Amino acid sequence: MAERNGHHSDNEAQPEKRVRAAEYVRMSTDHQKYSTQNQADAIRQYAAARAIDIVKTYADEGKSGLSLDGRDALKRLIEDVESGQAEFNTILVYDVSRWGRFQDADEGAYYEYICKRAGISVQYCAEQFENDGSPIATIVKGVKRAMAGEHSRELSVKVFAGQGRQIELGHRQGGPAGYGLRRALIDQNGAFKAELAHGEHKSIQTDRVVLIAGPDAEVAVVRKIYRRFVEDLIPERQIADELNARGIVTDLGRPWTRGTVHQILINEKYIGNNVWNRVSFKLKKKRVRNSPDMWIRADGVFPAIVDHHLFDAAQTIIRERSFRLSDEEMLEALQKLRQDKGLLSGLIIDEAEGLPSSSAYSSRFGSLLQAYKLVGYTPKRDYRYVEINRHLRTLHPDVLTKILGCLEAVGCQFHTIPETELISVNGELTISVVIARCHHTSGGSYRWRLRFDAGLQPDITIAVRMDAANKTPLDYYLLPRIDIASEKLKLAEENGLALDGYRFESLEPFYNFLRPEIVTEAA
């Protein structure tokens, strides 16, 4: 009867429901076991045992897991999830470290939360726990993420120490040799093996690279450059013109310029010194130019092709060229260069005859941007945000102090959490303070972009909108966590009744909200 009515009996097997999944694989340089193919094999075994169909693959080949920058596949994955058009309902990853070795463990958790919020789970196929949202899974993931980030930090320290040691031993750490020099391959005992052509690299891990003198003709040109500059007092531009007139090209096959001649005159490798760590870019963070006391160096480890006295004399001339000019004279020369060229840049300054180098301007006036400002020049790219951000960073402690004053005035018990700068109030809730600078649109209106501390998950965010000049606070928005739907929020001049209900023109109205009994209720 059940069959005639189109129904199945209770004991009849139901068809297995398949789950649609995307796989994410990432290969850095850790180890062969983490190759994308091996990850994919492990993920497919995991999927086959759980009735999961892999319908899409996102692969980042040879990408660091330290940040989202450069990881185009993970970016596309997140975009597909957020768009609501993902054709899958779970994501398979080899392990927690393949998702990322983020230096802030909360960043990895945030990207996973984006997926979870969209109804898409993330499963780690090689881990010994199920990512089921249980307290144990949450704790283990937090530890794993911290360990992944710490592994990168420890590895960075070890690599830096190893590279520094190689510099001290006189071994070259990357980069072209430069005109008049060549790279040579030596074995672990220091015995010469071969000269490396442009683009060639060592193939054996124990081999090392050093600098040696290049062809005699190039060495003679380098020495001639120094003699013309020091003994004949010929400036870099004229030296470059002489070399070009003789048909001599640089090591890259290009004509000589004032800048390329200048670089030869200031580089210590021509007197045999190995200098490293002038610039740092550790763990994919901001690139910084280090002070000379942080440089790692080994003197006299390469054959010098320029006499030390001649090199020192060249450095003296270069230093005195800027020291003998007053601030006014340097700025006048910069203003004239701007009028002649129509624009300014570090390269244009270095190529200009009779001017101090761009580094001299930066050293004298604090930055190139400040020097530009003093001659009334604004680059096509608006660098004012650098100065604005510096002002906002100094303003943040003042705003924080005012808010703490409000808390104290109404009798709240509070303290700031040093690691996060969150304010803990009465042990019941946390407050975050963010400052939004004012952006001017091409249409003449104003916009403010807020970025919330989503990883910290404060109970309340106090958003401070700056005025049009980004000098003083314009108003304040009080935003409970429950009303913050995403990490970012864009505000216009008018934002509708919903948001305007949280807006205050000063901090005084916070007093009522911050009364202890209301704070307790809000928590």
Side-chain angles (χ1 to χ4, degrees):
M1 180 68 70
E3 292 180 354
R4 286 197 301 269
N5 291 333
H7 297 289
H8 298 283
S9 61
D10 293 339
N11 57 4
E12 186 175 345
Q14 297 291 327
E16 186 179 34
K17 185 178 180 180
R18 308 288 293 185
V19 175
R20 294 171 62 83
E23 63 175 343
Y24 173 73
V25 293
R26 178 182 66 83
M27 182 183 70
S28 56
T29 56
D30 291 344
H31 199 274
Q32 184 59 34
K33 74 174 182 179
Y34 283 135
S35 72
T36 52
Q37 186 56 54
N38 288 344
Q39 290 174 58
D41 289 344
I43 290 172
R44 279 168 170 73
Q45 292 176 15
Y46 179 95
R50 290 165 173 78
I52 299 174
D53 294 326
I54 298 174
V55 299
K56 193 163 186 178
T57 297
Y58 298 84
D60 279 319
E61 304 264 0
K63 297 298 182 181
S64 166
L66 294 172
S67 70
L68 198 62
D69 293 339
R71 297 173 64 184
D72 295 335
L74 183 57
K75 288 180 180 178
R76 288 197 303 273
L77 171 60
I78 299 298
E79 288 170 359
D80 290 347
V81 168
E82 289 187 308
S83 70
Q85 299 178 355
E87 300 175 353
F88 46 85
N89 47 27
T90 190
I91 299 167
L92 303 182
V93 188
Y94 181 77
D95 63 11
V96 171
S97 70
R98 294 302 91 192
W99 187 248
R101 297 187 184 277
F102 300 103
Q103 294 305 288
D104 185 343
D106 289 337
E107 186 173 356
Y110 172 68
Y111 297 133
E112 182 179 328
Y113 173 72
I114 289 176
C115 301
K116 181 179 178 182
R117 187 175 63 195
I120 298 175
S121 64
V122 177
Q123 301 184 45
Y124 301 107
C125 304
E127 300 290 3
Q128 300 301 310
F129 66 90
E130 289 290 336
N131 192 19
D132 54 6
S134 66
I136 294 297
T138 301
I139 292 171
V140 173
K141 278 193 300 183
V143 172
K144 289 273 189 177
R145 289 182 183 122
M147 290 172 60
E150 185 60 27
H151 170 79
S152 294
R153 283 189 287 270
E154 290 179 353
L155 187 61
S156 174
V157 171
K158 292 177 181 178
V159 169
F160 182 83
Q163 289 177 316
R165 177 59 179 160
Q166 293 303 319
I167 291 295
E168 293 169 349
L169 292 174
H171 302 149
R172 182 77 169 171
Q173 293 295 297
Y179 190 86
L181 297 168
R182 292 294 185 272
R183 295 177 303 133
L185 194 65
I186 61 174
D187 64 20
Q188 58 186 341
N189 298 316
F192 176 84
K193 294 184 69 174
E195 182 178 308
L196 294 173
H198 182 72
E200 291 184 341
H201 304 281
K202 68 175 187 177
S203 57
I204 301 176
Q205 189 173 6
T206 55
D207 286 348
R208 296 290 179 255
V209 177
V210 297
L211 291 183
I212 60 174
D216 292 342
E218 288 189 17
V219 172
V221 168
V222 172
R223 291 171 178 168
K224 181 72 171 179
I225 288 173
Y226 274 86
R227 286 196 300 271
R228 292 289 282 163
F229 184 74
V230 173
E231 298 172 359
D232 301 333
L233 300 179
I234 302 299
E236 293 100 317
R237 167 60 65 189
Q238 187 174 334
I239 295 174
D241 291 341
E242 292 175 354
L243 293 173
N244 292 330
R246 293 167 55 189
I248 299 173
V249 295
T250 68
D251 54 311
L252 299 178
R254 300 169 183 169
W256 291 85
T257 66
R258 180 185 186 276
T260 52
V261 172
H262 183 76
Q263 286 301 311
I264 283 184
L265 290 170
I266 64 173
N267 204 311
E268 293 186 44
K269 63 187 177 185
Y270 291 105
I271 55 172
N273 295 347
N274 200 14
V275 184
W276 187 66
N277 199 41
R278 288 187 175 97
V279 176
S280 295
F281 187 46
K282 296 180 182 177
L283 294 173
K284 302 294 181 181
K285 295 184 177 179
K286 183 179 179 181
R287 190 180 301 272
V288 296
R289 188 173 296 277
N290 297 321
S291 58
D293 61 298
M294 295 179 64
W295 296 356
I296 297 175
R297 61 187 306 123
D299 295 342
V301 292
F302 304 137
I305 65 174
V306 173
D307 182 80
H308 280 64
H309 297 295
L310 201 60
F311 181 86
D312 291 341
Q315 308 321 300
T316 300
I317 292 172
I318 291 171
R319 285 194 300 269
E320 289 183 348
R321 189 164 57 191
S322 60
F323 288 150
R324 68 170 179 258
L325 296 177
S326 66
D327 290 356
E328 292 75 15
E329 290 171 327
M330 288 183 69
L331 292 175
E332 286 176 5
L334 190 63
Q335 177 65 31
K336 185 177 185 305
L337 178 65
R338 176 203 171 186
Q339 294 171 350
D340 293 341
K341 300 292 185 180
L343 72 161
L344 292 174
S345 71
L347 180 61
I348 291 174
I349 294 172
D350 286 337
E351 293 290 350
E353 189 61 57
L355 247 70
S357 64
S358 59
S359 59
Y361 275 99
S362 181
S363 176
R364 178 74 69 91
F365 299 104
S367 67
L368 267 182
L369 180 62
Q370 182 62 22
Y372 294 160
K373 184 177 180 180
L374 292 172
V375 296
Y377 174 69
T378 302
K380 289 185 178 180
R381 180 181 176 187
D382 189 358
Y383 287 94
R384 289 176 297 173
Y385 73 91
V386 177
E387 304 292 343
I388 293 172
N389 287 349
R390 184 180 295 120
H391 171 66
L392 297 186
R393 284 194 295 271
T394 61
L395 181 67
H396 190 274
D398 294 337
V399 174
L400 203 62
T401 300
K402 291 179 180 178
I403 293 172
L404 294 177
C406 292
L407 292 169
E408 186 175 15
V410 296
C412 289
Q413 299 296 319
F414 61 87
H415 69 276
T416 56
I417 305 172
E419 297 82 5
T420 62
E421 291 190 347
L422 292 180
I423 306 172
S424 176
V425 183
N426 293 341
E428 299 286 347
L429 83 164
T430 54
I431 297 176
S432 172
V433 179
V434 297
I435 298 179
R437 70 187 187 94
C438 180
H439 297 264
H440 299 245
T441 70
S442 57
S445 58
Y446 302 133
R447 293 292 184 272
W448 293 262
R449 301 187 186 103
L450 299 176
R451 184 183 292 274
F452 300 106
D453 294 325
L456 303 178
Q457 295 189 329
D459 297 294
I460 297 171
T461 296
I462 298 176
V464 184
R465 291 203 308 178
M466 299 300 294
D467 63 7
N470 285 297
K471 296 296 184 183
T472 58
L474 174 68
D475 52 22
Y476 304 83
Y477 277 77
L478 187 69
L479 303 172
R481 183 174 66 188
I482 194 172
D483 290 335
I484 298 176
S486 65
E487 185 187 18
K488 300 176 182 178
L489 175 65
K490 184 182 291 186
L491 296 177
E493 296 171 71
E494 301 294 336
N495 298 287
L497 293 176
L499 278 176
D500 282 346
Y502 297 123
R503 177 179 172 273
F504 302 92
E505 293 185 355
S506 67
L507 284 173
E508 282 69 19
F510 286 129
Y511 284 172
N512 289 333
F513 177 83
L514 294 172
R515 290 203 313 271
E517 62 271 20
I518 298 181
V519 167
T520 303
E521 291 174 6

